[in-house]
Amino acid sequence: MTAPHSDTPPEHNHVIVIGGGHVGLSFALLLAHQGIYSTLLETVKYPTIAPDQDRERQSYLDSRNTALSRRSVQIYHEIGLWDELDSHACRIDKVLISELGSFGRATLDKQAENVESFGFVMENAWLGRVLLQAVKASPYIRLHDNTQVTTISQDDDMAHVTTISQDDDTGNGNIQLSAPLVVACDGQHSPARHMLGIGADSHDYGQVGIVGVVETDTPHKHVAIEKFSPAGPLAVLPLPDSADGKYRRSVVFICPKGDEHAYLHDDAHFLATLQQVFGTDAGQFVQAGRRGTYPLTKVLAHRQVVGRCVLMGNAAHTLHPVAGQGFNLCLRDAYALAKLLGENLQNAKSGKFGMTTPDFGNQARLLGYEQSRQTDQKRVIKFCDTIVGSFTSTNPVMKVARNVGLITFDKIPFIKPMVATYAMGLKS
């Protein structure tokens, strides 16, 4: 990627991205890979990270993690980031699936499915660090952190965003930015979604997710363990060993809302509960790190495109974390839109279809993007809802049925490859 740095991107070759979380950072980098300039706006002030800082894990029990599908790994590889990300990732070779206290059990094994792996578990802190450093180094991206978006408007030719810097010493005040397209990746509660007048359906699962890292006395052997309980799905995922060789696992523990405090502040109770739930499948749980919590809510925007503005990431769809599908779905959305805009730019450069300048905010093209993503999005949403609904039911008939289903899934040959392909994000 070579391009002169410019404080003023070309008017027509420009996208404003609102929200600098992992989805927003990734989308800006995907645009840059297509030769498209962007201005990235983030409310939070990013920490200052030197290029050689924190290359080693400073606290091996203090991190949140994301399960990246095979397709997500391919996307990061395509834009030249995977080699650096890989140093803090751990592949998943096998998945053990069962229900707490029941007979049903199933296994997904990479050798049986003839795949390199089912994906990787990535430390969020490292993912964010690599993405942020790449954004700061890109000549195609202007980054404004500690900056709040106050208004969004649009006309026939441009979308307009008014911002205010939170830095006391800048003296910039309100600044209006304009571009042919605005993409909002500003989270589940998306202020941009409200500014655009887009409604959303919300469902509170009445559950809280507890996430963190634990140490076990045996190596993980690249095995992920999924255990379903009446409270919700529970998971222990493999992580790279610590610098001194200790065995680390990422934990996703879901409990009814209100019960989370007992697991947050009492390490012994948390470890004993994990041991009771997972038995000896993961060995002995010997140490727990700091845990974080988040209430589980499904949020689905009524629309993802309005005029020259697009919703992306959790602003468009926030899902239950079961099976770790949410971020991977968002990344596939980002890839699809960046690819579409890149084709538009190339057509304009070559004069194809009589184009001389790209129009990234073309209504028909954006609506086409929205429609093209419906199959993948609806499939993932239905998959997550089905699992959550089936395994949280206490009906004895349902319990027998889902355990028979696990055994059937484990024994019938053609089902596993289909489910594995969907889970890896390779069919969208």
Side-chain angles (χ1 to χ4, degrees):
M1 237 178 344
T2 58
H5 180 75
S6 172
D7 290 332
T8 307
E11 183 180 52
H12 294 286
N13 178 13
H14 183 211
V15 177
I16 296 173
V17 181
I18 301 173
H22 290 165
V23 175
L25 291 168
S26 298
F27 182 58
L29 290 167
L30 286 164
L31 291 175
H33 187 68
Q34 297 292 333
I36 298 172
Y37 292 86
S38 65
T39 298
L40 180 59
L41 308 172
E42 168 55 39
T43 304
V44 173
K45 187 173 183 63
Y46 290 118
T48 300
I49 302 175
D52 59 349
Q53 182 181 346
D54 291 334
R55 297 197 65 85
E56 297 296 332
R57 292 179 293 277
Q58 298 301 311
S59 177
Y60 74 96
L61 289 178
D62 185 14
S63 59
R64 296 189 181 191
N65 307 280
T66 294
L68 296 177
S69 69
R70 288 268 312 282
R71 181 63 186 128
S72 294
V73 171
Q74 290 174 355
I75 290 171
Y76 284 130
H77 192 277
E78 185 174 324
I79 61 176
L81 292 181
W82 181 248
D83 286 347
E84 190 170 6
L85 289 172
D86 189 29
S87 65
H88 282 53
C90 187
R91 73 179 189 275
I92 299 173
D93 292 346
K94 182 184 289 187
V95 184
L96 305 180
I97 308 165
S98 63
E99 181 175 7
L100 182 63
S102 297
F103 59 87
R105 181 175 284 260
T107 302
L108 283 172
D109 188 284
K110 72 171 188 178
Q111 292 181 337
E113 305 310 321
N114 195 30
V115 296
E116 295 177 3
S117 72
F118 294 110
F120 287 77
V121 185
M122 165 66 60
E123 298 182 52
N124 278 12
W126 186 253
L127 176 59
R129 177 197 182 282
V130 171
L131 294 175
L132 181 58
Q133 291 295 99
V135 162
K136 288 182 174 180
S138 173
Y140 286 93
I141 304 170
R142 291 189 307 172
L143 176 62
H144 297 289
D145 62 348
N146 210 27
T147 299
Q148 182 180 354
V149 173
T150 56
T151 65
I152 302 173
S153 62
Q154 50 188 319
D155 52 38
D156 290 342
D157 299 316
M158 289 282 169
H160 312 284
V161 173
T162 303
T163 71
I164 184 168
S165 172
Q166 304 302 304
D167 291 324
D168 294 333
D169 57 351
T170 61
N172 288 335
N174 291 321
I175 297 176
Q176 187 175 81
L177 305 171
S178 298
L181 173 64
V182 169
V183 177
C185 316
D186 54 342
Q188 173 182 334
H189 303 292
S190 180
R193 188 175 65 222
H194 295 293
M195 292 178 199
L196 293 169
I198 300 176
D201 294 324
S202 178
H203 172 71
D204 187 343
Y205 289 102
Q207 300 173 333
V208 172
I210 301 174
V211 295
V213 177
V214 297
E215 179 192 327
T216 60
D217 69 343
T218 56
H220 52 67
K221 298 180 180 179
H222 300 281
V223 176
I225 306 168
E226 294 272 357
K227 186 85 71 170
F228 293 95
S229 77
L234 316 172
V236 173
L237 308 174
L239 280 176
D241 295 341
S242 67
D244 57 358
K246 293 181 178 178
Y247 308 127
R248 303 187 316 144
R249 316 242 185 157
S250 171
V251 172
V252 180
F253 185 86
I254 294 179
C255 66
K257 190 179 291 184
D259 291 357
E260 66 271 18
H261 305 290
Y263 302 111
L264 278 178
H265 307 297
D266 187 337
D267 286 0
H269 176 62
F270 183 61
L271 291 170
T273 302
L274 292 178
Q275 202 69 64
Q276 182 180 10
V277 168
F278 291 99
T280 59
D281 287 345
Q284 295 294 310
F285 294 89
V286 297
Q287 190 173 349
R290 186 173 64 181
R291 274 99 58 204
T293 64
Y294 54 97
L296 302 186
T297 305
K298 179 175 70 174
V299 179
L300 302 177
H302 294 165
R303 302 175 62 185
Q304 295 177 37
V305 172
V306 56
R308 293 180 170 274
C309 300
V310 175
L311 296 182
M312 187 176 286
N314 285 343
H317 39 69
T318 302
L319 308 182
H320 195 285
V322 63
Q325 292 295 307
F327 176 74
N328 295 294
L329 177 63
C330 295
L331 190 60
R332 295 197 296 272
D333 290 342
Y335 181 85
L337 183 55
K339 197 79 170 177
L340 181 69
L341 299 178
E343 291 171 359
N344 183 225
L345 178 62
Q346 293 307 312
N347 288 338
K349 286 182 175 180
S350 65
K352 194 173 182 179
F353 308 122
M355 297 174 59
T356 55
T357 57
D359 183 5
F360 296 149
N362 178 274
Q363 183 71 174
R365 186 175 295 110
L366 295 181
L367 291 174
Y369 154 78
E370 182 180 33
Q371 182 62 37
S372 73
R373 296 299 302 143
Q374 289 299 300
T375 299
D376 192 17
Q377 291 175 6
K378 288 179 179 179
R379 173 182 54 78
V380 171
I381 292 166
K382 184 177 180 180
F383 175 68
C384 293
D385 284 349
T386 299
I387 292 179
V388 173
S390 298
F391 281 93
T392 55
S393 172
T394 57
N395 185 311
V397 176
M398 279 293 297
K399 186 170 184 176
V400 172
R402 61 186 175 241
N403 278 272
V404 170
L406 280 175
I407 294 173
T408 302
F409 168 76
D410 201 46
K411 301 300 182 185
I412 297 180
F414 70 86
I415 296 180
K416 281 189 182 180
M418 178 179 67
V419 173
T421 298
Y422 282 139
M424 291 185 290
L426 298 178
K427 185 172 183 179
S428 57

